[in-house]
Amino acid sequence: MAVMKFGGTSVGNASAMRQAIALVVRQQEKAAPLVVLSACSGITNKLVSIADAAGRSALDEAMALAGQVRKHHLDLVDELIKGEALKKELLATIEQFSLRLEMLIKGVDIVGELTERSRDMFCSFGELFSTTVFAAAMKEQGHDAEWLDVRTVMITDDNFGFARPIDELCEENTLSIIWPILKRGTVVVTQGYIGSTKDGRTTTLGRGGSDFSAALFGAWLNDDAIQIWTDVDGVMTCDPRLVPEARSIRVMTFSEAAELAYLGAKVLHPDTIAPAVQKNIPVYVLNSWHPDAKGTIITNDPARLSGKSYGGLVKSIAVKKEQCIINVRSNRMLGRHGFMTELFGVFSRYGISVEMISTSEVSVSLTVDEKSFSNELILELKGFGEVDIEHHVATVSVVGDNLRMSRGVAGRIFGALKDVNLRMISQGASEINVGFVVEESEVATAVSTLHREFFSDLEGSGIFEVPAGSR
Ligand code: ADP
Ligand code: ASP
Ligand code: MG
C-alpha cells in the first residue's frame, strides 16, 4: 500500500485535481492508497493573512479575504461536480466551513487578540476545504473514496503552530480507523498539516507540514512507499526557480534528503524523512504534471545505492534566504569555559533557532532567520561583547554523502567562488554539507557558478535527469 501526498499546486485548481484523481485511481488498481492533501496553493497564506487581519480588528479586510477563500472553493465545486444531489451536499459543506471561518474572524475581532491556538484553527480550513472537494470529485467520477477528518487520528501535543504527534496514539488510531477502510479497497482522502489535541483543539504541524503528515502515516501503516506529488520532477540539484539548468536527482539517501530539507530545499518538509527512516520506507518525490518522469527515490536500499543512478560528489545545493548574521566579539571568550553556554542560552530563551555557526578564539558568528531578529535580543547579546549584524544575507549549502570521503571539495567550492564575497563559512558536523553565507544579491551568481562547477560534467551520466518540462 502507499500514501500519496499532493501539494498545493497539485490540487490548486480543477485541472490539477482531475490530474491528481487520475493518479490516485491508477494506484487504486493495485491497492487503495491513503491520500493526504495540502490546501489549494495560496490558500494557507490567505488564511494566515485573515488571522492577522482579525487579530488587529481589520474586520472588513478579514471578511473580504474569507470571501475570496469561499469563492475559490465554490468555483472548484462548480467546475468539478455536475451531479445535482452531490453538488448540493458539497455546497452546503463549503458554506458551513465558510460560516465557521467567519465566526472565528468575528470572535477574534471581539476578543481583540490572536492566539497561536486560534491561528491554527484559521489555518486548518485550507486542508478541510481541499479534501472535501477532492473526495466529492472522486465520488462524482464513480470511484470508491471516503473523506476523513484527520483530527480523529492525528492526535498531537498542544504546541500550537508546531505540534508534534503522540506517536503511539496516532499509530493505534491509524490502524483502527484508516486501515480497515483501505483494506476493503476504499481510498481515504484526508488532510495533511493539521491535527488535534487530545481534548479536541485543532493544531498544525508547521508550514509545509503535509509532507510530514504523509510520512507519519506511511510509517504507521507500514506502507511500501510514501509518494510526495509536487510541481517539480523530484528533488533537484538546486531549486529550479534559482537555476533553470537544475536537474532531477534519481536516487538519494535518507541523510542527503534530510540534510537538504533542513538546509532550505522547500521541496520536502525537514521532518519528512525521520518516519520513513524509522520503518525504512522509500520516499518517492514525483511531479503530478509529469507523472511518468522518473522523479527521485529517497532510500537506503543498498541495491539502489550501488546502481548506476546513484552517485556524484555533490547531490544538491540548498539556499535559505532572509537570514541575518550576528557577530559577537569578546576577549572574555579567551580560555574561559561556560561562555558559549551562556551565549546560546540567550537564543534558547528567545526561542530562536541558530542556523549556521562559525567560531574563533574571540568571536562567534552565527546566522538566524531574519524573522526571529529583535532589538531586545541584540541588547542582551551586547552584554557579552561587541555585536554587529549583517542583514539581507542567505545561507548556501552544498550537500552530498560523498563529500565525507572526498578531498579537495572545499578547494573546488571556494575556488569557483573566488569572485563572490563570502560573509561566513561553515562545515556541517555531519560532514555531508559545506555551507557559506553571501549577500542576497549574490545568491544567483554563487549558486549558478557552483552548479556549473559540480554538475555540468555529469550530463548523461544517468545520475540526474533533465526535467520533463524542459526536454
Ligand atoms: P508542494 O506545494 O507540492 O508541497 P512546495 O512549493 O512546498 O510544493 O515545494 C516545491 C518547490 O520547492 C518547487 O516548486 C521548487 O521551487 C522548490 N525547491 C527548492 N529547492 C528544491 C530542490 N532542491 N529540488 C526541487 N524543488 C526545490
Ligand atoms: N497548506 C500548508 C502550507 O501551505 C501545509 C502544506 O502545504 O504542506 O504550509
Ligand atoms: Mg511543500
Side-chain angles (χ1 to χ4, degrees):
M1 270 189 197
V3 172
M4 302 177 83
K5 178 261 173 176
F6 292 91
T9 39
S10 303
V11 291
N13 55 36
S15 64
M17 278 214 183
R18 281 196 202 96
Q19 171 75 1
I21 289 173
L23 295 169
V24 170
V25 172
R26 194 168 80 172
Q27 183 75 37
Q28 191 178 16
E29 285 160 14
K30 293 178 222 149
L34 168 64
V35 176
V36 174
L37 302 185
S38 288
C40 300
S41 52
I43 295 295
T44 310
N45 285 349
K46 274 213 169 107
L47 292 166
V48 171
S49 305
I50 293 173
D52 288 337
R56 52 185 157 77
S57 291
L59 194 59
D60 290 349
E61 184 185 331
M63 292 302 249
L65 285 166
Q68 291 173 19
V69 170
R70 175 173 167 270
K71 183 172 182 311
H72 176 87
H73 296 96
L74 289 178
D75 288 350
L76 259 184
V77 174
D78 234 20
E79 273 197 71
L80 285 166
I81 312 290
K82 301 294 169 218
E84 281 304 317
L86 187 59
K87 189 164 187 166
K88 205 167 148 206
E89 190 188 320
L90 190 56
L91 290 177
T93 312
I94 303 279
E95 287 302 343
Q96 206 183 21
F97 285 146
S98 302
L99 210 66
R100 265 194 255 162
L101 177 59
E102 289 181 6
M103 275 162 51
L104 187 62
I105 295 174
K106 287 178 188 154
V108 169
D109 170 54
I110 291 169
V111 178
E113 186 193 12
L114 176 71
T115 59
E116 284 305 305
R117 183 194 275 200
S118 34
R119 187 187 286 280
D120 273 3
M121 193 72 217
F122 276 107
C123 289
S124 69
F125 281 99
E127 272 69 10
L128 291 170
F129 276 122
S130 67
T131 50
T132 303
V133 178
F134 193 95
M138 282 200 71
K139 283 189 198 147
E140 154 105 352
Q141 292 181 15
H143 305 298
D144 191 5
E146 199 171 309
W147 180 85
L148 177 92
D149 187 333
V150 82
R151 293 171 296 183
T152 58
V153 182
M154 181 70 83
I155 307 301
T156 69
D157 60 21
D158 62 358
N159 191 4
F160 295 98
F162 195 72
R164 296 296 98 172
I166 301 166
D167 216 52
E168 277 163 33
L169 204 54
C170 294
E171 182 160 17
E172 219 176 279
N173 290 342
T174 305
L175 296 176
S176 64
I177 300 173
I178 298 180
W179 170 242
I181 311 174
L182 296 176
K183 208 165 68 173
R184 59 168 200 258
T186 304
V187 172
V188 175
V189 178
T190 200
Q191 307 80 43
Y193 175 56
I194 70 174
S196 164
T197 59
K198 275 189 200 159
D199 58 353
R201 302 279 165 198
T202 299
T203 53
T204 70
L205 308 179
R207 293 301 306 271
S210 297
D211 299 334
F212 184 35
S213 305
L216 288 165
F217 281 120
W220 294 327
L221 286 166
N222 225 337
D223 269 327
D224 312 326
I226 296 162
Q227 301 177 6
I228 306 288
W229 292 89
T230 183
D231 59 357
V232 281
D233 283 11
V235 184
M236 305 184 70
T237 50
C238 186
D239 186 342
R241 288 180 211 191
L242 274 175
V243 179
E245 301 79 36
R247 298 289 181 248
S248 60
I249 302 166
R250 295 284 311 281
V251 184
M252 300 181 87
T253 62
F254 286 127
S255 56
E256 285 172 332
E259 195 89 355
L260 200 61
Y262 278 111
L263 293 167
K266 193 188 166 215
V267 63
L268 276 183
H269 183 276
D271 291 328
T272 311
I273 299 303
V277 174
Q278 199 196 339
K279 295 272 177 82
N280 201 14
I281 304 170
V283 178
Y284 294 79
V285 184
L286 301 155
N287 189 340
S288 60
W289 299 105
H290 299 286
D292 297 321
K294 293 192 175 85
T296 302
I297 307 166
I298 304 167
T299 176
N300 275 354
D301 176 6
R304 284 274 187 192
L305 300 181
S306 55
K308 274 210 308 269
S309 47
Y310 179 80
L313 179 58
V314 171
K315 204 42 63 73
S316 188
I317 305 165
V319 175
K320 248 190 208 175
K321 289 190 178 168
E322 290 170 42
Q323 305 291 299
C324 69
I325 302 180
I326 301 178
N327 297 306
V328 182
R329 213 166 293 111
S330 168
N331 290 335
R332 275 169 53 201
M333 278 177 78
L334 222 106
R336 273 267 312 274
H337 57 83
F339 184 91
M340 291 294 186
T341 317
E342 284 172 35
L343 184 73
F344 285 100
V346 176
F347 290 93
S348 160
R349 268 204 311 287
Y350 280 79
I352 296 173
S353 136
V354 173
E355 307 279 339
M356 208 177 261
I357 309 170
S358 154
T359 65
S360 79
E361 286 282 318
V362 290
S363 71
V364 187
S365 298
L366 44 86
T367 63
V368 299
D369 198 294
E370 190 75 69
K371 283 191 217 78
S372 56
F373 177 85
S374 73
N375 289 328
E376 293 82 57
L377 169 78
I378 299 306
L379 209 62
E380 207 163 319
L381 292 178
K382 282 190 172 156
F384 289 84
E386 233 175 87
V387 179
D388 64 75
I389 299 127
E390 296 177 48
H391 292 284
H392 310 297
V393 296
T395 60
V396 179
S397 309
V398 169
V399 176
D401 270 0
N402 290 340
L403 293 181
R404 198 182 275 137
M405 287 98 74
S406 311
R407 284 164 179 269
V409 181
R412 268 181 82 182
I413 295 175
F414 300 118
L417 294 175
K418 60 184 185 315
D419 296 325
V420 175
N421 184 10
L422 302 177
R423 311 301 310 142
M424 192 176 142
I425 296 174
S426 161
Q427 172 164 16
S430 62
E431 294 177 61
I432 67 167
N433 84 69
V434 179
F436 56 89
V437 182
V438 293
E439 284 167 23
E440 281 201 350
S441 56
E442 294 212 84
V443 167
T445 314
V447 174
S448 36
T449 307
L450 282 182
H451 200 272
R452 226 174 298 119
E453 171 70 26
F454 287 102
F455 299 114
S456 58
D457 58 341
L458 290 172
E459 289 293 341
S461 64
I463 299 169
F464 306 102
E465 287 278 317
V466 178
S470 47
R471 264 177 225 156

